[in-house]
Amino acid sequence: MAQISVRDVTKVYKGGVKAVDNVNLGIENKEFMVLVGPSGCGKSTTLRMIAGLEEISSGKIWIGNRLVNDVPAKDRDIAMVFQNYALYPHMSVFENMSFGLRLRKYPKHEIVRRVQEATEILGIKHLLERRPRQLSGGERQRVALGRAIVRKPQAFLFDEPLSNLDAKLRVQMRTEIHKLRLRLQTTFVYVTHDQTEAMTLGDKIVVMKDGKVQQCADPMTIYDKPANKFVAGFIGSPPINLMQGRILKKERKLYFDEGKFQVKLVEDMYGVLAAYEGKEVIFGIRAEDIYDKLFVSQASPENTIRAACEVVEPLGSEVYLYLNSGKNTFIARVGAHNRPEVNRDMDLVLDMSKVHFFDRETEKTII
Ligand code: ADP
């Protein structure tokens, strides 16, 4: 168990690619920290620098109280789990799991005890004699997890461990990692490009883009109070609806004017948005904050808009409506009972207390 501290860390690869740009992270003891972002944003490089598999160009990394910049990977007392499992094909499951301990000359009875304990946790006791090619993808990933667990490391580093699994197995393994984490009570740093994995697993989420940290917070803060347009758009499924428009003032009230519709802002937002009067802004509303007017009791003309319903997508428990205002397309996520007619205009009510505004130039959150 250990806290991990990444201070002003930059990585420039040979050839000049700045993969990680002045990143700062504080990972508490026993915390599950998820690094998330699109492909190429520098997540794996950051993780690999913590592991000691990649040299740091500048900055400092501490694991526990130890500055590890010059400590080789094998002496950092961390265990890494990779997307491709990295199992030795010619070794049995037992040999794969015990390899690290044998290398470190652990006594035989201790090796057997630790492997047994890990196989019980992971439900793979019956696989000990098999070779990796005789295992399914999910079983291989369990063996890779087992190999990490037997080391009892100070921290686990996971690099996209579920990406090679099919959708159903991925959801199942996600729950298992969650249980594992509760049981092991250790520090985890977990890299994924999948925002659902980030939201469901992380105590804290670090959203990265172009080598830089965009925001670091708990999942609900990231969802409800994104720091900028990129974070708002990356976290959440379906993605947040973003529309460009203008802030208007009429009879001492502020409105967002999209071009085809106008909606009144809630008064709590006036203070901050007054400075944007007459200016272009980006308006954001999540799909679940848009309702079919037929099912809303307190609609007012000032938060109701009209749009054409182009596609209705029933998903069983809910329905996605693909809408078009005449200027922007957007998505509403409504209850399963909603079945509007396709290719007709419909009235929609926006929950204006939940909307977001972003500065058009800086793309930072205004409110
Ligand atoms: P992510 O894990 O977010 O997909 P990476 O950390 O793998 O991103 O990569 C970040 C950037 O660094 C990318 O532009 C990638 O092409 C580049 N990169 C990664 N590894 C190397 C390398 N060994 N040499 C040069 N460039 C690299």
Side-chain angles (χ1 to χ4, degrees), residues 24-306:
N24 284 286
L25 302 172
I27 304 150
E28 303 286 336
N29 195 5
K30 300 188 191 177
E31 190 165 66
F32 199 115
M33 170 84 88
V34 180
L35 308 184
V36 68
S39 178
C41 72
K43 315 176 287 288
S44 294
T45 303
T46 305
L47 194 77
R48 292 169 64 81
M49 286 191 288
I50 297 173
L53 300 174
E54 206 69 72
E55 246 178 71
I56 303 168
S57 305
S58 66
K60 288 180 176 162
I61 297 181
W62 278 269
I63 298 177
N65 296 324
R66 190 156 67 128
L67 181 66
V68 294
N69 284 38
D70 299 321
V71 177
K74 67 177 177 40
D75 298 329
R76 290 194 184 191
D77 197 12
I78 44 104
M80 188 135 167
V81 179
F82 300 91
Q83 174 179 353
N84 60 7
Y85 322 125
L87 300 175
Y88 297 108
H90 58 284
M91 289 186 194
S92 69
V93 167
F94 178 86
E95 286 164 341
N96 263 288
M97 285 178 68
S98 59
F99 185 73
L101 301 181
R102 284 186 281 135
L103 213 60
R104 287 172 177 76
K105 307 250 180 310
Y106 274 69
K108 186 132 191 268
H109 66 272
E110 178 64 11
I111 293 177
V112 170
R113 196 183 64 76
R114 287 197 187 191
V115 171
Q116 256 171 5
E117 192 181 275
T119 51
E120 262 162 41
I121 293 174
L122 295 161
I124 51 171
K125 239 175 153 175
H126 56 296
L127 303 176
L128 279 173
E129 299 307 320
R130 291 207 203 162
R131 304 218 183 270
R133 69 182 150 74
Q134 298 168 309
L135 303 173
S136 70
E139 287 165 346
R140 279 180 212 169
Q141 192 52 286
R142 281 198 181 83
V143 175
L145 289 173
R147 188 177 52 184
I149 293 174
V150 295
R151 302 253 318 270
K152 298 189 189 281
Q154 290 210 64
F156 289 99
L157 308 182
F158 284 21
D159 193 359
E160 304 256 8
L162 309 184
S163 294
N164 281 356
L165 304 176
D166 67 51
K168 198 171 165 204
L169 201 52
R170 208 154 58 219
V171 174
Q172 192 189 333
M173 284 301 283
R174 197 170 76 206
T175 336
E176 293 201 14
I177 288 178
H178 199 85
K179 285 189 201 155
L180 194 65
R181 172 273 156 104
L182 293 175
R183 182 150 180 178
L184 297 177
Q185 295 283 324
T186 307
T187 312
F188 285 79
V189 189
Y190 187 104
V191 161
T192 178
H193 63 274
D194 179 341
Q195 59 91 29
T196 314
E197 261 173 49
M199 286 293 286
T200 50
L201 285 172
D203 294 325
K204 278 217 196 102
I205 299 179
V206 178
V207 183
M208 292 183 70
K209 181 190 169 212
D210 300 336
K212 293 196 178 82
V213 172
Q214 303 293 306
Q215 188 171 8
C216 171
D218 65 276
M220 284 323 288
T221 302
I222 296 261
Y223 191 77
D224 290 333
K225 296 188 168 66
N228 56 35
K229 184 181 141 200
F230 175 79
V231 174
F234 192 79
I235 301 287
S237 175
I240 191 169
N241 298 297
L242 297 167
M243 310 177 199
Q244 198 166 310
R246 197 179 289 275
I247 301 291
L248 277 188
K249 190 171 186 181
K250 284 193 295 190
E251 292 159 7
R252 296 160 85 184
K253 292 179 188 163
L254 289 182
Y255 292 81
F256 170 68
D257 179 10
E258 184 251 9
K260 291 286 182 186
F261 67 78
Q262 288 180 0
V263 276
K264 186 170 106 44
L265 309 186
V266 293
E267 286 172 19
D268 292 356
M269 296 187 182
Y270 282 16
V272 180
L273 284 166
Y276 285 84
E277 200 188 307
K279 292 194 183 143
E280 293 273 341
V281 290
I282 295 160
F283 170 82
I285 183 161
R286 294 212 183 264
E288 65 267 28
D289 297 324
I290 304 176
Y291 299 86
D292 182 341
K293 183 165 174 271
L294 285 178
F295 298 93
V296 178
S297 53
Q298 294 155 324
S300 95
E302 295 185 309
N303 61 3
T304 304
I305 67 168
R306 180 152 274 223

